[in-house]
Amino acid sequence: MTMSNTTQSAIEYTEDGLRIEPEAFVKQLPNLSYQQGVLTIEAVSADDLVKHYGTPLYVYSKQTILDAYHAYSDSFAAIEHQVCYAVKANSNLAVLKVLAQAGAGFDLVSAGELARVLAVGADPSKVVFSGVGKTAAELKAALQAGIGCFNVESLSELDTLNTVAAKLGVQAPISIRVNPDVDAKTHPYISTGLKDNKFGISHDVAVAAYQHAQQLEHLNIVGIDCHIGSQLTEIDPFVAALDKVIELIEALKHVGIELEHVDLGGGLGVLYIDEEVAKVSEFAAALLPKLQQLGLKVLFEPGRSIVANAGILLTKAEVLKPTKHKNFAIVDAAMNDLIRPALYQAQMAVIPTHSQSYANAHTSADDKPNEKSWDIVGAVCETGDFLAKQRLLSLAVGDVLAITGAGAYGFVMSSNYNSRPRPAEVMVAADKHQVVRQREKIEQLYELESVFEG
Ligand SMILES: *Cc1c(COP(=O)(O)O)cnc(C)c1O
């Protein structure tokens, strides 16, 4: 069979499942390669990482994070802009520090995230605070830190913020998150810009909301924002949202409200398996003419597209359980470590850390275990505990697999379910590697607990 492009030759859907050609597949991912048959992130081999730190293990490439950030800052260099990395995608201090040093601002959704960005010395004026349920205490902490903008999501939040700001004797810079009611064509759980979502203020009452804000003495209107969803592969929904927002900016001008910035949120998708994802440069090309005409400063809040493909999760096959109907590969990572497959039915690539073509060339055919269709599952006592289903792989107990695209919404969504200590996180830069979060110890799982004395 002749294949016309890399994606097709890397991925093959068969009746028995999905076959990924590891060497062709990683060519599409930044800073991942096979060197002498061993998966290598930047210049560090998976073998070395496993030897030093064990499994399961999250590994992040510093260079990939920087390159992804610069894809935005370079693509929008023609206009005044600020990239505010969405901390919730991966909030490890090492990740935040790399981005802060590169000049990124941050998009927060909690006081915990505020503390993290302050801990790495982020410039508070480049920080925006999103989220539907900010508490008065969180608003206060962010006002005291002097953040750049509150992305307000309800009338009630406007009032609370005004009260908190009045008590502190300060002005709160605000933008209102409007809900442009465009279909982001993504998974319903991560689509946020439709009328029936809990997020933002609907388009038709937005002007009234701004007029309400204008009455409140301790609010200072600076912008408007929207965020329509996550893992968007197409550009059209962003353009449609921008058009709706521009309409509102015009309507606000008519009632005498002038803005300084427009914040287009995050949401650009990434390649997990074979998605055809718009590049940041294409995204910029579609938006720039409209933004240039608008003449406002532009903010972006990308999360996934900065860190997803900077990360892999290394996990070891502990138990192989072929049965008549299904073959289970039980690995040492589970849904508590990486919940995207279980929560969103997300498809993530699982590749061997030792590529088969190299193995084939160096061992006799009889030595290599036969390829089978495996469900890659964890050890958690839930049927929903799977990392991937029906993957064609040659597996032996002890083999280490890599799940790619694990840098975003990976570790941050992990839990201790089944009293499983969370994995360590490691950052790699060129041939250097360092733990940036230690593997949790079993004692730590219950250090905040006590038995009832009553
Ligand atoms: C989650 C979120 C983002 C980041 O979304 P990605 O899809 O990771 O780019 C940005 N802004 C807001 C308000 C969010 O909730």
mmCIF file of all heavy atoms in Angstrom, residues 86 88-89 107 109 130-131 153 177 199 225 227 229-231 265-268 301-305 409, ligand 1:
data_model
loop_
_atom_site.group_PDB
_atom_site.id
_atom_site.type_symbol
_atom_site.label_atom_id
_atom_site.label_comp_id
_atom_site.label_asym_id
_atom_site.label_seq_id
_atom_site.Cartn_x
_atom_site.Cartn_y
_atom_site.Cartn_z
ATOM 1 N N ALA A 86 -2.436 29.100 30.190
ATOM 2 C CA ALA A 86 -3.480 28.592 31.088
ATOM 3 C C ALA A 86 -2.874 27.569 32.043
ATOM 4 O O ALA A 86 -2.607 26.420 31.675
ATOM 5 C CB ALA A 86 -4.621 27.970 30.287
ATOM 6 N N LYS A 88 -3.896 25.768 34.376
ATOM 7 C CA LYS A 88 -4.543 24.501 34.721
ATOM 8 C C LYS A 88 -4.087 23.335 33.842
ATOM 9 O O LYS A 88 -4.190 22.183 34.245
ATOM 10 C CB LYS A 88 -6.065 24.644 34.671
ATOM 11 C CG LYS A 88 -6.679 24.722 33.294
ATOM 12 C CD LYS A 88 -8.215 24.654 33.419
ATOM 13 C CE LYS A 88 -8.903 24.439 32.094
ATOM 14 N NZ LYS A 88 -9.214 25.689 31.389
ATOM 15 N N ALA A 89 -3.539 23.628 32.646
ATOM 16 C CA ALA A 89 -3.106 22.542 31.763
ATOM 17 C C ALA A 89 -1.923 21.767 32.343
ATOM 18 O O ALA A 89 -1.812 20.542 32.160
ATOM 19 C CB ALA A 89 -2.748 23.085 30.385
ATOM 20 N N ASP A 107 -2.929 32.605 32.876
ATOM 21 C CA ASP A 107 -4.372 32.596 33.075
ATOM 22 C C ASP A 107 -4.656 31.631 34.221
ATOM 23 O O ASP A 107 -4.289 30.459 34.154
ATOM 24 C CB ASP A 107 -5.067 32.133 31.786
ATOM 25 C CG ASP A 107 -6.545 31.879 31.992
ATOM 26 O OD1 ASP A 107 -7.216 32.700 32.637
ATOM 27 O OD2 ASP A 107 -7.042 30.840 31.499
ATOM 28 N N VAL A 109 -7.244 29.952 37.394
ATOM 29 C CA VAL A 109 -8.620 29.645 37.773
ATOM 30 C C VAL A 109 -8.784 29.427 39.276
ATOM 31 O O VAL A 109 -9.850 29.007 39.721
ATOM 32 C CB VAL A 109 -9.170 28.415 37.007
ATOM 33 C CG1 VAL A 109 -9.310 28.730 35.515
ATOM 34 C CG2 VAL A 109 -8.299 27.192 37.205
ATOM 35 N N SER A 130 -9.509 33.767 35.435
ATOM 36 C CA SER A 130 -10.768 33.290 34.864
ATOM 37 C C SER A 130 -11.465 32.381 35.871
ATOM 38 O O SER A 130 -10.913 32.083 36.927
ATOM 39 C CB SER A 130 -10.498 32.485 33.588
ATOM 40 O OG SER A 130 -9.785 33.255 32.648
ATOM 41 N N GLY A 131 -12.659 31.928 35.514
ATOM 42 C CA GLY A 131 -13.329 30.934 36.363
ATOM 43 C C GLY A 131 -14.695 31.389 36.812
ATOM 44 O O GLY A 131 -14.883 32.561 37.155
ATOM 45 N N GLU A 153 -17.338 36.403 35.126
ATOM 46 C CA GLU A 153 -18.254 35.496 34.429
ATOM 47 C C GLU A 153 -19.720 35.658 34.813
ATOM 48 O O GLU A 153 -20.570 34.927 34.301
ATOM 49 C CB GLU A 153 -17.805 34.043 34.654
ATOM 50 C CG GLU A 153 -16.379 33.792 34.166
ATOM 51 C CD GLU A 153 -16.181 32.421 33.542
ATOM 52 O OE1 GLU A 153 -17.179 31.758 33.202
ATOM 53 O OE2 GLU A 153 -15.009 32.026 33.392
ATOM 54 N N ARG A 177 -16.387 37.986 30.526
ATOM 55 C CA ARG A 177 -16.336 36.824 29.629
ATOM 56 C C ARG A 177 -17.687 36.675 28.962
ATOM 57 O O ARG A 177 -18.687 36.420 29.639
ATOM 58 C CB ARG A 177 -15.991 35.555 30.401
ATOM 59 C CG ARG A 177 -16.028 34.323 29.495
ATOM 60 C CD ARG A 177 -15.428 33.132 30.177
ATOM 61 N NE ARG A 177 -15.529 31.934 29.354
ATOM 62 C CZ ARG A 177 -15.103 30.749 29.759
ATOM 63 N NH1 ARG A 177 -14.561 30.615 30.948
ATOM 64 N NH2 ARG A 177 -15.223 29.695 28.966
ATOM 65 N N PHE A 199 -20.518 28.758 31.455
ATOM 66 C CA PHE A 199 -19.470 29.777 31.387
ATOM 67 C C PHE A 199 -19.946 31.090 30.772
ATOM 68 O O PHE A 199 -20.742 31.106 29.846
ATOM 69 C CB PHE A 199 -18.282 29.253 30.576
ATOM 70 C CG PHE A 199 -17.691 28.008 31.158
ATOM 71 C CD1 PHE A 199 -18.009 26.764 30.646
ATOM 72 C CD2 PHE A 199 -16.854 28.081 32.258
ATOM 73 C CE1 PHE A 199 -17.480 25.606 31.202
ATOM 74 C CE2 PHE A 199 -16.323 26.937 32.819
ATOM 75 C CZ PHE A 199 -16.639 25.698 32.286
ATOM 76 N N ASP A 225 -13.561 39.255 27.039
ATOM 77 C CA ASP A 225 -12.916 37.978 26.730
ATOM 78 C C ASP A 225 -13.915 36.885 26.421
ATOM 79 O O ASP A 225 -15.106 36.979 26.732
ATOM 80 C CB ASP A 225 -11.954 37.554 27.850
ATOM 81 C CG ASP A 225 -12.641 36.900 29.028
ATOM 82 O OD1 ASP A 225 -13.289 37.634 29.791
ATOM 83 O OD2 ASP A 225 -12.540 35.671 29.176
ATOM 84 N N HIS A 227 -13.812 32.316 25.657
ATOM 85 C CA HIS A 227 -13.037 31.066 25.545
ATOM 86 C C HIS A 227 -14.055 30.017 25.145
ATOM 87 O O HIS A 227 -14.978 29.735 25.905
ATOM 88 C CB HIS A 227 -12.373 30.715 26.890
ATOM 89 C CG HIS A 227 -11.780 29.331 26.910
ATOM 90 N ND1 HIS A 227 -10.606 29.021 26.260
ATOM 91 C CD2 HIS A 227 -12.213 28.181 27.463
ATOM 92 C CE1 HIS A 227 -10.351 27.731 26.434
ATOM 93 N NE2 HIS A 227 -11.299 27.196 27.164
ATOM 94 N N GLY A 229 -13.803 26.735 24.019
ATOM 95 C CA GLY A 229 -13.690 25.288 24.199
ATOM 96 C C GLY A 229 -12.243 24.868 24.074
ATOM 97 O O GLY A 229 -11.352 25.706 23.966
ATOM 98 N N SER A 230 -12.028 23.564 24.106
ATOM 99 C CA SER A 230 -10.670 23.044 24.115
ATOM 100 C C SER A 230 -10.514 21.987 23.021
ATOM 101 O O SER A 230 -11.496 21.405 22.563
ATOM 102 C CB SER A 230 -10.395 22.426 25.485
ATOM 103 O OG SER A 230 -9.018 22.390 25.742
ATOM 104 N N GLN A 231 -9.259 21.770 22.628
ATOM 105 C CA GLN A 231 -8.937 20.788 21.579
ATOM 106 C C GLN A 231 -9.713 21.091 20.296
ATOM 107 O O GLN A 231 -10.271 20.203 19.653
ATOM 108 C CB GLN A 231 -9.153 19.343 22.093
ATOM 109 C CG GLN A 231 -8.764 18.210 21.128
ATOM 110 C CD GLN A 231 -7.313 18.266 20.638
ATOM 111 O OE1 GLN A 231 -6.491 19.010 21.133
ATOM 112 N NE2 GLN A 231 -6.997 17.482 19.630
ATOM 113 N N GLY A 265 -8.994 33.847 24.696
ATOM 114 C CA GLY A 265 -8.993 32.559 25.385
ATOM 115 C C GLY A 265 -7.967 31.596 24.812
ATOM 116 O O GLY A 265 -7.020 31.995 24.133
ATOM 117 N N GLY A 266 -8.180 30.320 25.109
ATOM 118 C CA GLY A 266 -7.274 29.283 24.594
ATOM 119 C C GLY A 266 -8.055 28.345 23.708
ATOM 120 O O GLY A 266 -9.031 28.755 23.085
ATOM 121 N N GLY A 267 -7.637 27.099 23.667
ATOM 122 C CA GLY A 267 -8.466 26.101 22.998
ATOM 123 C C GLY A 267 -7.909 25.467 21.757
ATOM 124 O O GLY A 267 -8.489 24.504 21.240
ATOM 125 N N LEU A 268 -6.790 25.986 21.231
ATOM 126 C CA LEU A 268 -6.258 25.369 20.012
ATOM 127 C C LEU A 268 -5.826 23.928 20.317
ATOM 128 O O LEU A 268 -5.215 23.660 21.340
ATOM 129 C CB LEU A 268 -5.075 26.206 19.506
ATOM 130 C CG LEU A 268 -4.751 26.086 18.015
ATOM 131 C CD1 LEU A 268 -5.944 26.493 17.161
ATOM 132 C CD2 LEU A 268 -3.556 26.954 17.666
ATOM 133 N N GLU A 301 -4.978 32.711 25.819
ATOM 134 C CA GLU A 301 -4.840 31.874 27.018
ATOM 135 C C GLU A 301 -4.617 30.407 26.636
ATOM 136 O O GLU A 301 -5.383 29.528 27.047
ATOM 137 C CB GLU A 301 -6.112 31.975 27.873
ATOM 138 C CG GLU A 301 -6.473 33.378 28.329
ATOM 139 C CD GLU A 301 -7.892 33.465 28.907
ATOM 140 O OE1 GLU A 301 -8.650 32.474 28.840
ATOM 141 O OE2 GLU A 301 -8.239 34.540 29.426
ATOM 142 N N PRO A 302 -3.599 30.118 25.861
ATOM 143 C CA PRO A 302 -3.410 28.723 25.448
ATOM 144 C C PRO A 302 -2.876 27.864 26.595
ATOM 145 O O PRO A 302 -2.040 28.316 27.378
ATOM 146 C CB PRO A 302 -2.371 28.824 24.331
ATOM 147 C CG PRO A 302 -1.569 30.044 24.674
ATOM 148 C CD PRO A 302 -2.526 30.998 25.343
ATOM 149 N N GLY A 303 -3.377 26.666 26.693
ATOM 150 C CA GLY A 303 -2.882 25.719 27.687
ATOM 151 C C GLY A 303 -2.342 24.482 26.979
ATOM 152 O O GLY A 303 -1.138 24.298 26.810
ATOM 153 N N ARG A 304 -3.290 23.675 26.496
ATOM 154 C CA ARG A 304 -2.950 22.416 25.835
ATOM 155 C C ARG A 304 -1.899 22.596 24.725
ATOM 156 O O ARG A 304 -0.947 21.815 24.643
ATOM 157 C CB ARG A 304 -4.226 21.829 25.229
ATOM 158 C CG ARG A 304 -4.071 20.421 24.670
ATOM 159 C CD ARG A 304 -5.333 20.016 23.885
ATOM 160 N NE ARG A 304 -6.549 20.246 24.637
ATOM 161 C CZ ARG A 304 -7.115 19.370 25.454
ATOM 162 N NH1 ARG A 304 -6.565 18.175 25.606
ATOM 163 N NH2 ARG A 304 -8.216 19.656 26.106
ATOM 164 N N SER A 305 -2.080 23.602 23.891
ATOM 165 C CA SER A 305 -1.188 23.727 22.734
ATOM 166 C C SER A 305 0.222 24.164 23.132
ATOM 167 O O SER A 305 1.135 24.121 22.314
ATOM 168 C CB SER A 305 -1.785 24.694 21.700
ATOM 169 O OG SER A 305 -2.099 25.938 22.309
ATOM 170 N N TYR A 409 -3.172 18.423 30.978
ATOM 171 C CA TYR A 409 -4.294 17.726 31.615
ATOM 172 C C TYR A 409 -3.914 16.281 31.954
ATOM 173 O O TYR A 409 -4.720 15.369 31.851
ATOM 174 C CB TYR A 409 -5.548 17.810 30.717
ATOM 175 C CG TYR A 409 -5.875 19.251 30.365
ATOM 176 C CD1 TYR A 409 -5.660 19.756 29.086
ATOM 177 C CD2 TYR A 409 -6.335 20.118 31.350
ATOM 178 C CE1 TYR A 409 -5.913 21.097 28.789
ATOM 179 C CE2 TYR A 409 -6.593 21.453 31.058
ATOM 180 C CZ TYR A 409 -6.379 21.933 29.780
ATOM 181 O OH TYR A 409 -6.632 23.253 29.497
HETATM 182 C C1 LIG B 1 -9.085 25.776 30.101
HETATM 183 C C2 LIG B 1 -9.049 27.194 29.732
HETATM 184 C C3 LIG B 1 -8.052 27.683 28.871
HETATM 185 C C4 LIG B 1 -7.025 26.777 28.227
HETATM 186 O O1 LIG B 1 -7.608 25.930 27.288
HETATM 187 P P1 LIG B 1 -6.704 24.996 26.356
HETATM 188 O O2 LIG B 1 -7.681 24.221 25.574
HETATM 189 O O3 LIG B 1 -5.874 24.151 27.240
HETATM 190 O O4 LIG B 1 -5.879 25.901 25.500
HETATM 191 C C5 LIG B 1 -8.027 29.032 28.618
HETATM 192 N N1 LIG B 1 -8.942 29.881 29.170
HETATM 193 C C6 LIG B 1 -9.917 29.444 29.980
HETATM 194 C C7 LIG B 1 -10.880 30.402 30.533
HETATM 195 C C8 LIG B 1 -10.010 28.091 30.281
HETATM 196 O O5 LIG B 1 -10.989 27.658 31.075
#
